[in-house]
Amino acid sequence: MDFDAIADELYGMPPDAFTAARDRYAAAARQAGDRTLAGKLKELHRPTAAAWAGNLLVRHSRDQADALMQLGANLRQAHHELDGAQLRELTRQQHALVATLAQQAVRLAAEAGRRLGDTARREVEATLHAALADPEAARAWSAGRLDKPLTAPVGFPGVSGTATVHPLRPSAPASRGHRTGRAQRGKASVTELEAARARRQERERAERVERARHAADQAQAACRSLQQELDQRQEEADQAEQALQQAAQEVENLKVRLEEARAHHREVQDDARQARKRLRDAEQTARKAERRAETALSELEGHQL
């Protein structure tokens, strides 16, 4: 039994079928003596609807998935280089491709028998944005084994707004001719003020980004905690459902055994009735034979006299 092959199969299944199939594989691994594999399989979590749809998208639209990851690499490069024109063009492509892929995920999920709601669709879009923003997220998504949607970092173009480049205002070229020392000092003061203003704006922007990142980290931590609780509750619900199915099967088995016992009881009753009838018949025959014997004995005694 190969872990990767089993994991690929499990995460390609609808979420409703995941837990039972995982447990069957884990049980088979234990029976085969491979406790390591069984333990790894039990650690796999049931995917949410959005994560499952994202996995379907990777499996059925490999070319478009590769295009999205290449677009993400280009976006990150433009973001790093503060190339405003390139960012605007790539962000336009990003919106179009994410919308197309999200709609395709909805269609694939519907074809597989599950309708995605608005929340799940937004989570699919968030996963796509995360794959664009973060190479690690892109690799996780492209593996097709997500158990929950991904979240893009705050501040990435197309997630919290298109990045804006604020270049410093270039100073005017020095003109030839007569300049007074006062004018030169005035120009230098203006340049210093602009530089100081730009630095202050950059610090304020960095502080806003840091606050937003901190808030995003807290929100992600809360989401992870809630997701863990949801996974636990889902696991408990799956176990309860299995226990209910087992109990129902036991009830059916008991019903069958009860019906068999009743049928056997009826057969025994019939046999008992027939045995009692044979006993009565035998008793009557015995009495008749006894009377004949008595009659014969009386006749014999009469002849002897």
Side-chain angles (χ1 to χ4, degrees):
M1 299 176 69
D2 180 68
F3 173 79
D4 289 327
I6 295 173
D8 285 339
E9 179 183 347
L10 290 174
Y11 283 105
M13 295 179 176
D16 294 343
F18 180 91
T19 302
R22 179 203 62 192
D23 291 346
R24 284 196 301 271
Y25 276 120
R30 281 195 299 272
Q31 291 176 356
D34 194 342
R35 294 186 175 275
T36 300
L37 176 59
K40 289 174 66 177
L41 291 173
K42 288 296 289 184
E43 291 175 356
L44 297 177
H45 295 291
R46 166 180 169 158
T48 65
W52 169 67
N55 295 335
L56 283 181
L57 193 58
V58 171
R59 294 163 184 265
H60 292 82
S61 304
R62 186 74 253 180
D63 292 342
Q64 288 181 300
D66 292 341
L68 183 80
M69 289 187 286
Q70 183 59 53
L71 176 60
N74 296 339
L75 265 169
R76 292 191 295 273
Q77 182 65 26
H79 189 56
H80 176 73
E81 295 175 353
L82 297 180
D83 187 339
Q86 183 72 356
L87 272 174
R88 285 189 291 273
E89 172 57 25
L90 292 175
T91 301
R92 183 190 63 77
Q93 296 178 23
Q94 169 192 355
H95 287 310
L97 185 55
V98 167
T100 298
L101 288 176
Q103 183 60 38
Q104 191 164 349
V106 171
R107 179 179 59 79
L108 288 171
E111 291 175 354
R114 179 154 187 168
R115 177 182 175 276
L116 290 187
D118 292 339
T119 299
R121 179 192 172 108
R122 286 193 294 270
E123 289 176 340
V124 171
E125 292 175 349
T127 296
L128 298 176
H129 283 300
L132 284 165
D134 182 6
E136 289 297 327
R139 281 190 286 272
W141 173 61
S142 65
R145 298 181 191 173
L146 294 180
D147 58 16
K148 58 186 175 183
L150 302 174
T151 304
V154 174
F156 189 75
V159 178
S160 60
T162 303
T164 303
V165 181
H166 298 284
L168 296 178
R169 182 181 300 171
S171 57
S175 61
R176 296 181 180 180
H178 298 288
R179 291 182 178 273
T180 63
R182 181 178 179 182
Q184 291 174 347
R185 287 193 301 272
K187 184 177 183 302
S189 298
V190 171
T191 302
E192 291 173 357
L193 286 173
E194 290 177 346
R197 184 182 302 111
R199 287 193 297 272
R200 184 177 66 253
Q201 291 175 345
E202 182 63 23
R203 284 196 302 271
E204 292 173 351
R205 187 189 71 83
E207 290 173 356
R208 289 195 299 271
V209 170
E210 184 59 31
R211 287 195 297 271
R213 182 177 293 113
H214 179 67
D217 290 342
Q218 290 182 325
Q220 288 178 348
C223 286
R224 285 193 294 271
S225 177
L226 290 173
Q227 184 62 48
Q228 290 174 355
E229 183 177 355
L230 177 61
D231 290 342
Q232 181 179 354
R233 296 294 177 266
Q234 185 61 58
E235 192 76 18
E236 292 172 354
D238 291 339
Q239 292 175 356
E241 180 64 27
Q242 288 181 350
L244 179 61
Q245 292 176 358
Q246 291 175 353
Q249 185 61 49
E250 290 176 0
V251 169
E252 289 300 321
N253 293 339
L254 289 173
K255 287 181 179 179
V256 171
R257 292 172 57 188
L258 177 61
E259 187 58 35
E260 291 174 348
R262 286 173 174 170
H264 181 65
H265 181 255
R266 288 192 294 270
E267 291 176 357
V268 171
Q269 284 182 325
D270 291 341
D271 291 343
R273 282 193 295 270
Q274 292 176 6
R276 286 194 294 269
K277 182 178 183 302
R278 288 194 296 272
L279 176 61
R280 289 194 298 271
D281 293 344
E283 288 175 343
Q284 291 176 358
T285 301
R287 285 194 294 272
K288 289 178 180 179
E290 186 178 358
R291 286 195 295 271
R292 287 196 298 271
E294 291 175 350
T295 301
L297 181 60
S298 298
E299 292 177 353
L300 177 60
E301 290 176 348
H303 289 305
Q304 290 176 350
L305 292 176

